[in-house]
């Protein structure tokens, strides 16, 4: 039997009861697979790795070693939430690595989008490898938040930012408890495991994080402006009840300045570009017709609260011709 | 009597009858002032200089020498319209100067907004001066499209792009027949003089033209993309009946590229930024809540028809903190 193929008679997990049954089954399966050995997991804070972490903590507790790499390109409050939920609430065996300086130093002056992605991806492997070596002797398994669309899409459209690429002398047996599930099922499991709503309903977030939204060569001041503007956008969308209704929304800040006037003096600052899209399959995407009052509120808040931003634009570009991300 | 002060009892010109009376009066006054001598006018194609040209042609015919300097930064079709209306329809004594190469060569690599404005302003004077020298011996007057707000605002807020700055050996007596009129009155006069609707209702257009909307260092390909995108915007606003209803609307194209997908291949092209504002006094401005269908149509057309553009954004920034122009 191909363990990477979802059985045709497998019921879609849509209710707490079905979720509970799946969790019970996987807890047993993981315990049988792992025994008293240890499991390593790269915990990004995204939906998939968070659900896998919570599931494994339920199954094997502190035999799971979670490594959270903060590459300095996380959204506002995300790394803090990972620590709070997993270390403080779930008593996880969590290794928190503040690698922001390493990543930002490597990225200095690099403006080509693909070069940026490669640097971030390669450095992520390097940091994770270092942590894996520290515990390598005691660890036998590598857990991953692989989900079923990752398997379906893995014939080459786009390299996913999962932890592959570890060196040959550091290979583990894989543990992928949600690999046959669709995204919506993973969220139902997350709810059942008691993860916070904001974590379970989190929008897809690219592996390179804010690094591909701080357009062109990343600087710390522009990255900080982006993080603050993005946080305001997410807060106002949540207040307006759009969380989970608009598929994806975020801010990008280009390496380009425009004129404005602040307190009567000429300002020469960055524009913040709001990107929001709805999609069924992520292959095509439409721009939602947002309420003008909401757009106005977000614009006012960003202009008033974020140093370095003197313009706010709404991206009207459907996919195609635009991609969802700006780079 | 201060001839630069509008008499308090002067009636606002709002009707064809009042316009006709003003025109008759000014035709007499100009004839009395000029006699059989000649008048020089820099005809940009904007509302003010066009109305002055039509008024002077009515008064003194081919004694008026109109110089139209095409600096290569005109909107699509504007220079052509100046030639068609004034040379072909009104039989004006029109000197058309194609100076696009001169301006664009000087601007090459210049990205600082104020430096760009200074180069364009200074070169404009230089080109106009050359033309003035050619006819200087026979010309006694310089006509200008000064209007009353120019006089009211002339205590230093912003240098207006009128033709000052001619050298001392080339000074003329001034002829400014609409200098006591407000903008709306100038438009009523333009209607009365039979100028085309599109010329009379023309939005304010900065002296440096598209030069300050082709953001950063101007290149010919990006300038051309801007001109085409701007033409589509103006066409769709006109079709939607918004001409004269939205105070000002235009496109800016930054010197910045974003990712897209065109015919299955990665594109790395410029965004077009739509700017539209309503204002009472131009000191503050609001962004109009346009119909989504219109925004969608403009976006689709620009993406389909303009080479080099793969994104369209709508600028949501009020003034302040944003200025109306991007640089």
């Amino acid at each position: 039997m191909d363990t990477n193929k979802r059985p045709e008679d497998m019921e879609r997990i849509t209710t707490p009861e079905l979720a509970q049954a799946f969790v019970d089954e996987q807890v047993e399966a993981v315990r049988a697979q792992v025994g008293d050995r240890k499991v390593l997991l790269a915990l990004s804070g995204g939906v998939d790795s968070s659900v896998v972490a919570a599931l494994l903590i339920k199954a094997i507790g502190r035999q799971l070693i979670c490594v959270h790499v903060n590459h300095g390109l996380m959204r506002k409050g995300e790394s803090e939430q990972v620590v709070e939920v997993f270390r403080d609430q779930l008593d996880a065996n969590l290794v928190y690595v503040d690698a922001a300086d390493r990543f930002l130093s490597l990225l200095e002056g690099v403006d080509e989008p693909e070069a940026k992605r490669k640097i971030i991806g390669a450095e992520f492997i390097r940091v994770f490898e270092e942590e894996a070596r520290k515990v390598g002797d005691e660890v036998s398994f590598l857990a991953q938040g692989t989900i079923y669309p990752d398997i379906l899409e893995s014939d080459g459209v786009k390299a996913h930012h999962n932890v592959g690429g570890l060196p040959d002398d550091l290979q583990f047996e894989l543990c992928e408890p949600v690999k046959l599930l669709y995204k919506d099922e993973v969220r139902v499991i997350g709810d059942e495991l008691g993860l916070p709503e904001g974590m379970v309903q989190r929008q897809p977030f690219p592996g390179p994080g804010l690094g591909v939204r701080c357009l062109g060569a990343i600087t710390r001041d522009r990255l900080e402006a982006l993080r603050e503007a993005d946080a305001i956008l997410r807060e106002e969308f949540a207040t307006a009840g759009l969380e989970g209704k608009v598929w994806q929304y975020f801010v990008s800040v280009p390496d380009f300045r425009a004129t404005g006037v602040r307190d009567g003096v000429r300002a020469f600052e960055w524009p913040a570009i709001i990107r929001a899209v709805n999609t069924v399959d992520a292959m095509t995407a439409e721009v939602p017709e947002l309420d003008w009052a909401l757009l106005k509120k977000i614009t006012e808040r960003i202009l008033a609260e974020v140093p370095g931003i003197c313009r706010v634009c709404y991206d009207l570009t459907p996919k195609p011709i635009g991609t969802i991300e700006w780079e």
Side-chain angles (χ1 to χ4, degrees), chain A:
Chain A
M1 181 189 138
D2 180 358
T3 58
N4 277 346
K5 188 160 170 19
R6 184 179 168 116
E8 274 175 26
D9 60 355
M10 182 171 159
E11 196 173 356
R12 191 87 168 202
I13 299 168
T14 53
T15 65
E17 294 70 30
L18 290 166
Q20 185 58 54
F22 178 86
V23 168
D24 290 346
E25 180 192 303
Q26 287 301 317
V27 163
E28 284 315 303
V30 167
R31 283 177 183 159
Q33 184 189 14
V34 171
D36 58 1
R37 289 178 292 173
K38 289 193 172 166
V39 181
L40 186 65
L41 169 73
L43 175 59
S44 67
V47 181
D48 305 332
S49 69
S50 296
V51 169
V52 167
L55 186 58
L56 293 185
I57 289 167
K58 192 175 177 87
I60 57 170
R62 293 181 64 91
Q63 284 168 256
L64 174 73
I65 303 171
C66 300
V67 175
H68 176 70
V69 178
N70 180 352
H71 50 22
L73 304 166
M74 304 294 286
R75 287 177 289 203
K76 186 174 182 178
E78 280 188 330
S79 283
E80 293 80 355
Q81 189 188 35
V82 167
V83 171
E84 199 216 314
V85 169
F86 290 96
R87 180 181 286 164
D88 301 347
Q89 294 176 20
L90 299 180
D91 191 33
N93 192 348
L94 174 69
V95 179
Y96 173 82
V97 187
D98 180 356
D101 283 337
R102 285 178 63 160
F103 279 83
L104 296 182
S105 298
L106 281 171
L107 288 164
E108 216 172 289
V110 181
D111 60 358
E112 215 283 310
E114 280 312 303
K116 288 166 64 179
R117 283 179 196 269
K118 276 183 191 149
I119 288 171
I120 297 167
E123 187 63 8
F124 189 87
I125 300 291
R126 213 165 293 131
V127 173
F128 186 69
E129 183 193 334
E130 289 172 17
E131 297 305 319
R133 286 201 184 281
K134 290 181 192 166
V135 297
D137 290 344
E138 22 166 349
V139 166
S140 308
F141 295 89
L142 181 69
Q144 291 196 150
T146 312
I147 65 172
Y148 202 51
D150 296 334
I151 290 174
L152 294 177
E153 286 173 17
S154 63
D155 40 54
V157 180
K158 196 172 178 180
H160 282 281
H161 189 74
N162 281 341
V163 178
L166 286 177
D168 283 347
D169 69 318
L170 201 70
Q171 292 293 328
F172 306 99
E173 211 175 310
L174 288 181
C175 174
E176 295 174 311
V178 299
K179 72 175 175 183
L180 297 185
L181 301 191
Y182 289 100
K183 196 81 176 189
D184 54 298
E185 297 178 288
V186 176
R187 295 196 206 273
V188 179
I189 303 295
D191 279 336
E192 182 60 26
L193 289 166
L195 289 177
E197 169 83 5
M199 191 171 255
V200 168
Q201 291 303 326
R202 178 158 300 173
Q203 311 168 56
F205 187 54
L210 297 182
V212 293
R213 296 176 183 171
C214 189
L215 306 173
I218 298 166
T219 58
R220 285 171 198 247
D221 53 354
R222 193 155 49 87
L223 179 62
E224 195 48 35
L226 162 61
R227 202 188 320 268
E228 291 300 319
D230 185 70
I232 289 169
L233 178 76
R234 289 191 290 138
E235 195 180 308
E236 291 299 332
F237 266 55
T239 303
L242 294 178
E243 215 173 28
K245 288 193 182 146
V246 174
W247 190 69
Q248 203 175 1
Y249 44 93
F250 57 86
V251 169
S252 288
V253 178
D255 184 12
F256 184 85
R257 289 169 187 267
T259 301
V261 177
R262 204 179 279 281
D263 305 325
V265 179
R266 177 177 182 259
F268 196 51
E269 303 176 350
W270 306 293
I273 294 156
I274 297 172
R275 182 67 166 149
V277 288
N278 280 323
T279 181
V280 176
D281 57 7
M283 298 306 289
T284 64
E286 293 297 319
V287 174
E289 300 177 3
L290 297 176
D291 282 345
W292 287 104
L294 174 65
L295 286 171
K296 199 170 167 180
K297 176 118 184 270
I298 294 167
T299 299
E300 277 170 5
R301 281 198 60 196
I302 291 176
L303 293 174
E305 298 174 29
V306 184
I309 301 287
C310 76
R311 299 261 166 187
V312 177
C313 294
Y314 186 43
D315 185 357
L316 301 172
T317 318
K319 174 182 181 181
I321 289 176
T323 42
I324 293 174
E325 300 286 342
W326 268 51
E327 71 172 27

